[in-house]
Amino acid sequence: MYVFGNNRSWIFIYFGCIILFWLTNAKEVTLYDSSKYSTLDWTIYPEADDIATYEGWTETGASYARKFQVCQVRERNQNNWIRLPHIKHNNANLIIVDLEFTMYSCEQASGIVSCRETFDLYYADVNGSIESILPFTAPPYTKISRIAADGRFSDPSADNEVVNKVTERFGPIRSNGFYLAMQDQGACMALLRTRIYYRVCPKIMMNLANFPETVTGDYVTSLVEARGACVPNSKKVGVEDPTYQCQSDGTWTVLQGECLCSEGYFQTENLAACEDGQYAEASPSCFQFIAQNYNF
């Protein structure tokens, strides 16, 4: 039960803030974040036969700040891979990857035979049970992008590393999950953080209809239609349910249809009509004016 006095302006501010928050804050669901682990234990290819002389991908760094680094620039034809554990897609369609990395400048390196300032990002849309037989080749991996460094550093002994941040997308995923992998072909770099996630449009109430949390579509241009359910004590206008379109960035667009309060009920914006000695009850969106009984 809600009881209102003469000062009711706060209720409009309250609901307005909720609606603004819903519309401007897409929800991100994290599938994997390397910064949340004390050790990573990713799969390395080729494996290190002699750890004393191995110069391929190496895990290092403090706990919960683990990173992989590689710097094989003194030999040609490099083919160094790292692969994350199998990741369940959790019904996601479009997968998003945020990478943070540093890159050493080839121009400043000495004694190099072959040097690059890029690395390749791949994914494999497969079930986790085939990890042991999944070769480090494309296919079965699909290239997402060749990633170049916008910022590079030249003095490894100085505190001047430039952290590059990139975002890539891939999908849709049709198996029960996927592998993410990186291929180095002669760079001198460190992979600092890998975060994998997807977006959903948050649940929201518009035009007196409740729309459920909705996973975004397969592609950046996809729209996913969600059907709304009228709030208690209301009914839809016409024969079609209200619909809302979920965009790939996790925000809603193109609202169609509406619900109206049933006869004898009023919407929230009519709370100002609730006179002293009355109170509103039932749904916060569609309510009745009921005379307040006082017993002395």
Side-chain angles (χ1 to χ4, degrees):
M1 181 179 73
Y2 298 87
V3 180
F4 301 97
N6 291 326
N7 185 5
R8 306 179 185 92
S9 61
W10 64 270
I11 196 71
F12 304 107
I13 298 174
Y14 174 77
F15 280 102
C17 290
I18 290 178
I19 292 173
L20 180 61
F21 176 83
W22 275 336
L23 291 175
T24 57
N25 289 268
K27 181 179 177 181
E28 295 179 350
V29 181
T30 299
L31 297 174
Y32 182 90
D33 187 343
S34 63
S35 68
K36 304 301 182 183
Y37 295 86
S38 59
T39 185
L40 299 180
D41 293 325
W42 295 358
T43 303
I44 299 173
Y45 175 84
E47 297 181 2
D49 295 328
D50 186 351
I51 196 66
T53 59
Y54 179 71
E55 293 182 338
W57 289 105
T58 304
E59 182 177 349
T60 184
S63 181
Y64 297 101
R66 303 294 284 174
K67 61 184 179 181
F68 273 92
Q69 59 188 28
V70 64
C71 194
Q72 274 197 339
V73 296
R74 293 177 176 84
E75 296 180 13
R76 299 185 186 277
N77 302 320
Q78 294 301 311
N79 184 34
N80 306 305
W81 291 71
I82 50 172
R83 180 176 64 206
L84 280 69
H86 188 259
I87 299 170
K88 301 291 186 180
H89 62 75
N90 197 25
N91 295 321
N93 297 309
L94 184 65
I95 308 296
I96 309 172
V97 183
D98 288 345
L99 298 174
E100 297 181 14
F101 65 96
T102 58
M103 185 74 67
Y104 189 69
S105 173
C106 288
E107 294 181 356
Q108 304 299 323
S110 59
I112 63 173
V113 176
S114 177
C115 183
R116 298 192 180 192
E117 295 178 350
T118 61
F119 66 99
D120 293 334
L121 180 66
Y122 291 86
Y123 80 98
D125 182 3
V126 295
N127 296 318
S129 59
I130 68 169
E131 176 181 8
S132 60
I133 60 173
L134 191 67
F136 286 92
T137 58
Y141 287 93
T142 300
K143 181 184 285 190
I144 301 171
S145 177
R146 172 158 291 176
I147 299 175
D150 291 330
R152 295 168 294 277
F153 69 98
S154 57
D155 186 356
S157 63
D159 188 21
N160 66 342
E161 291 187 349
V162 179
V163 177
N164 298 274
K165 298 180 180 181
V166 298
T167 298
E168 299 291 342
R169 296 169 176 82
F170 65 93
I173 302 299
R174 300 309 185 198
S175 302
N176 67 6
F178 60 91
Y179 290 102
L180 192 73
M182 296 81 168
Q183 181 193 28
D184 160 63
Q185 293 180 300
C188 195
M189 61 169 292
L191 186 61
L192 308 180
R193 184 185 180 189
T194 302
R195 178 174 175 250
I196 306 171
Y197 57 99
Y198 64 97
R199 291 195 175 108
V200 299
C201 292
K203 62 180 180 181
I204 188 173
M205 191 270 284
M206 293 291 288
N207 284 3
L208 295 183
N210 287 315
F211 295 92
E213 181 177 278
T214 302
V215 178
T216 56
D218 292 348
Y219 307 102
V220 174
T221 57
S222 296
L223 292 176
V224 178
E225 182 178 274
R227 292 189 173 274
C230 293
V231 301
N233 304 311
S234 70
K235 57 185 178 181
K236 63 186 177 183
V237 177
V239 297
E240 298 293 337
D241 292 331
T243 60
Y244 220 172
Q245 302 294 329
C246 176
Q247 302 180 105
S248 64
D249 62 356
T251 60
W252 295 100
T253 187
V254 191
L255 174 64
Q256 293 182 322
E258 63 178 339
C259 302
L260 294 178
C261 290
S262 301
E263 185 177 355
Y265 290 83
F266 302 88
Q267 287 188 237
T268 302
E269 57 263 29
N270 293 320
L271 287 175
C274 193
E275 300 175 355
D276 291 339
Q278 292 181 326
Y279 65 89
E281 70 173 6
S283 165
S285 300
C286 289
F287 62 90
Q288 286 180 310
F289 293 138
I290 301 176
Q292 177 71 59
N293 293 322
Y294 295 96
N295 295 318
F296 297 97

